[in-house]
Amino acid sequence: MADIVLCTLNARYSHASLGLRSLLANLGDLRARARLLEFTLGTPLARMLEALAAERPRVIGIGVYIWNVEQTLVLVRALRERLPEARIVLGGPEISHETQTQLLTALADHVILGAGERAFARLAGQLLDGPRPLMKIIPGEDTDPTELALPNAFYDADDIAHRHLYLEASRGCPFKCAFCLSALDRSARPFDPTALADAIDDLLARGARRFRFVDRTFNLKVANCLSILNRFGDWMRAHPDEPLFLHFELIPDRLPQALREVIASFPVGVLQFEIGVQSFDPRVQAMMDRRQDDAATEANLRWLRRHTGAHLHVDLIAGLPGETLAGFGAGFDRLVAMNPHEIQVGLLKRLRGTPLAARAPSLGLVFETRAPYTIVSSPWLSAAEVARLARFARHWDLIGNSGRFRRSLPWLLGDAPFERFMALSETLAARLGRTHGVAYERWCELVHAHAATISALAAAAVREDYLASGASGRPAFLERGIAGRKAGVDRWRATLRDRQRTQLVHAPDERRDAEG
């Protein structure tokens, strides 16, 4: 049993909550009286209530985010009935803004706004031992990160074995992009480098091999960035047979030579970089207060693709003010030419507290009223065009980002990637009417049929991709299904090689992987 329970609903089990562990690490003398409970969006309500009730908590702290706010509302309502004596304290980015307008606020005993490590520790002490706090809405404290305890000790053996571990090297962001909550930050401030190095060493020694750094601008201060990368690099050289996965979010237009050299020294598959390009349109960037050197961004992406083994996950936002369907398509085509491993197409969201949320009415932006508050329409995009982009994004994830259509994707995209893939997306939407709950074989059948309208070689590439995937279904384009599979594979590979030799002049540029 625990007097204090910290809980949240993670998007999936593999995500271990950094926020809860940061609160727990900074509880001071109350730490021994606290327990951490994590659920997922799929955890049945009855199971969550049973686990919470078993602790008999006097204080329940709940992290509220855009992805779990609706399920959290259901949970808090149920807690009010099941554990009426428990004091419910809410925090997190979703409840920290437009607080008074939310039903969750009415159901909670207290809400902490913003950074909560110090504020929650003080509030929990008052709720347990007095004096009783007077305010319901409690401002968080903008604490210097060097004064905070790091959460590494609260990743347990199960976390280390099965989950991605989240760390912060710095907190905050100096940029003011209007669509991002980080626009509210004054600057980016580092955590204590010695404490961070000790935390990394501790986790590595305990078997941790999957790290995700949540810094918005990991490469902002190059010296700090190099220190962390070199520490992992030294560990890898001392343990050459151990796997390692490191995820960082990079500023796209800042990649000095010293950093390039270190990145290039890592083996293939160790580094993953999430790089937010968002838009290549200078007018759109200006409307969103975004500073980005597009030429440097493109040069850096091409260099990373050609000269490193890092996996590049690059973000574009559809629906930004000022960007039309054609404008987004031009940016998509430009990014495809750089050949990142993944292009994440995300629709613009109205995040509470951002400058964009305040400007939305004057800009004529319409958003859904339920989380995740996705764009519905704008003066630059009709509702029908937004719906087309939403389907495009889903189909791109299934086909462009999945890695299952590596041979056929260049054929499907040709020399007009956005236009060609939008045509495929519209075909899939017309034939299926949905984007979820469709068998892989059915996707392949429809992609194969579409590819056949391009060329026989394009259709053959889809067939090759299916056979290489190891799937054992019976899509219509496999003459023999599972039976005779080996002979069918050999025959089609020989046919494809013959056609490529005789028709190479008609093929799309298949050197993208080598040239970026």
Side-chain angles (χ1 to χ4, degrees), residues 437-495:
V438 180
Y440 172 56
E441 284 73 19
R442 182 58 176 153
W443 286 116
C444 290
E445 287 175 346
L446 294 175
V447 173
H448 180 270
H450 182 85
T453 67
I454 299 172
S455 72
L457 279 175
V462 175
R463 182 186 179 103
E464 279 284 295
D465 280 330
Y466 182 82
L467 293 171
S469 74
S472 57
R474 296 177 181 268
F477 56 80
L478 285 186
E479 296 171 346
R480 302 189 181 190
I482 299 173
R485 176 183 173 87
K486 176 66 166 59
V489 171
D490 293 342
R491 184 173 64 254
W492 271 88
R493 284 180 175 162
T495 301

Side-chain angles (χ1 to χ4, degrees), residues 263 266-273 304-305 307-313 341:
I263 290 172
F266 278 79
V268 173
V270 173
L271 298 177
Q272 175 171 286
F273 294 142
L304 286 166
R305 191 66 173 92
H307 300 292
T308 78
H311 182 95
L312 306 184
H313 174 115
H341 301 87

Side-chain angles (χ1 to χ4, degrees), residues 365-404:
L365 305 180
V366 179
F367 293 92
E368 293 177 356
T369 56
R370 295 180 59 183
Y373 319 115
T374 306
I375 187 77
V376 173
S377 66
S378 78
W380 301 272
L381 283 175
S382 68
E385 288 173 325
V386 171
R388 292 178 69 194
L389 284 168
R391 291 192 296 267
F392 179 99
R394 171 63 177 162
H395 291 140
W396 180 257
D397 265 349
L398 293 166
I399 297 168
N401 287 338
S402 68
R404 288 180 157 184

Side-chain angles (χ1 to χ4, degrees), residues 244-264:
L244 193 64
F245 173 82
L246 307 172
H247 173 103
F248 304 99
E249 186 170 342
L250 299 188
I251 305 168
D253 53 10
R254 184 176 177 80
L255 204 64
Q257 183 61 30
L259 185 53
R260 290 185 176 207
E261 292 174 2
V262 172
I263 290 172

